[in-house]
């Protein structure tokens, strides 16, 4: 918006910037301390509004719903997170979006961990790792593998680690 460009006016390929921007803002919000979250929260919502304008294509919509699910999970609103996950997964299956499906699995794993269900969390993370390996992802795969190893070690399951 600061550039004076409407997100809807951009070609689809350039609109993925808004997905990345929201992901970065979510990460900044996650790292902010309770007393330092006002600025990151404001920047997250500004980025989220831009993504909402840009997300006229199903590919962008499923990313947006997955990011919303992560935000709600971070806020402790598991029911809202799960509703967003359902929509993200529905669109991701329709558009064959492996990235979003793996992200949804990872979020579902975190929800399962919050409920004390390490077995389900490990299974969900293992599925996300398998997709990452098939797709040849770099850093994302490393992050998923580290998260899986943490869950597997915590539950004493060396076959997943």
């Amino acid at each position: 918006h600061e550039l004076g460009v409407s997100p809807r006016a951009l070609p689809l390929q350039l609109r993925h910037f808004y997905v990345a921007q929201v992901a970065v803002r979510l990460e900044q919000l996650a790292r902010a301390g309770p007393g330092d979250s006002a600025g990151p929260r404001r920047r997250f919502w500004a980025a989220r509004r831009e993504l909402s304008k840009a997300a006229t294509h199903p590919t962008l919509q499923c990313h947006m719903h997955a990011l919303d699910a992560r935000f709600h999970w971070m806020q402790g609103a598991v029911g809202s997170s799960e509703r967003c996950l359902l929509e993200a997964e529905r669109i991701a299956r329709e558009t064959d979006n492996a990235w979003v499906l793996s992200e949804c699995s990872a979020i579902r794993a975190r929800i399962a961990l919050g409920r004390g269900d390490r077995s389900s969390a490990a299974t969900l993370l293992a599925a996300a790792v398998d997709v990452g390996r098939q797709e040849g992802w770099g850093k994302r795969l490393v992050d998923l593998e580290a998260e899986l190893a943490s869950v597997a070690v915590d539950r004493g399951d060396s076959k997943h680690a």
Side-chain angles (χ1 to χ4, degrees):
H1 185 70
E2 292 176 9
L3 299 175
V5 176
S6 168
R8 285 192 173 128
L10 293 172
L12 176 62
Q13 296 81 353
L14 296 179
R15 293 185 204 184
H16 282 82
F17 160 80
Y18 296 101
V19 171
Q21 179 179 240
V22 171
V24 167
R25 297 301 187 202
L26 262 178
E27 189 60 33
Q28 290 170 338
L29 183 57
R31 292 175 187 220
D36 299 328
S37 66
R41 184 177 301 279
R42 190 173 46 254
R43 288 187 292 277
F44 163 77
W45 282 113
R48 176 56 181 79
R49 282 189 297 276
E50 287 186 328
L51 175 57
S52 181
K53 293 174 188 171
T56 60
H57 188 275
T59 297
L60 298 171
Q61 291 167 356
C62 65
H63 280 287
M64 182 177 70
H65 290 298
L67 289 163
D68 287 349
R70 182 171 177 221
F71 171 78
H72 289 301
W73 168 76
M74 288 169 50
Q75 301 303 304
V78 172
S80 295
S81 180
E82 290 175 322
R83 283 187 293 280
C84 292
L85 286 168
L86 288 172
E87 187 64 8
E89 290 163 334
R90 181 187 68 76
I91 299 169
R93 281 190 296 276
E94 290 174 3
T95 59
D96 196 28
N97 192 318
W99 182 278
V100 169
L101 289 171
S102 76
E103 181 62 17
C104 290
S105 286
I107 295 167
R108 286 192 182 284
R110 294 174 197 128
I111 291 170
L113 277 176
R115 292 179 174 146
D117 187 353
R118 292 195 174 285
S119 180
S120 292
T123 299
L124 287 160
L125 284 168
V129 165
D130 287 344
V131 171
R133 287 181 181 145
Q134 290 169 9
E135 297 292 324
W137 295 335
K139 175 150 176 21
R140 175 72 181 136
L141 177 58
V142 170
D143 292 346
L144 286 169
E145 288 172 332
E147 193 170 357
L148 174 59
S150 170
V151 170
V153 167
D154 285 349
R155 68 179 203 144
D157 185 355
S158 61
K159 86 174 183 182
H160 287 295

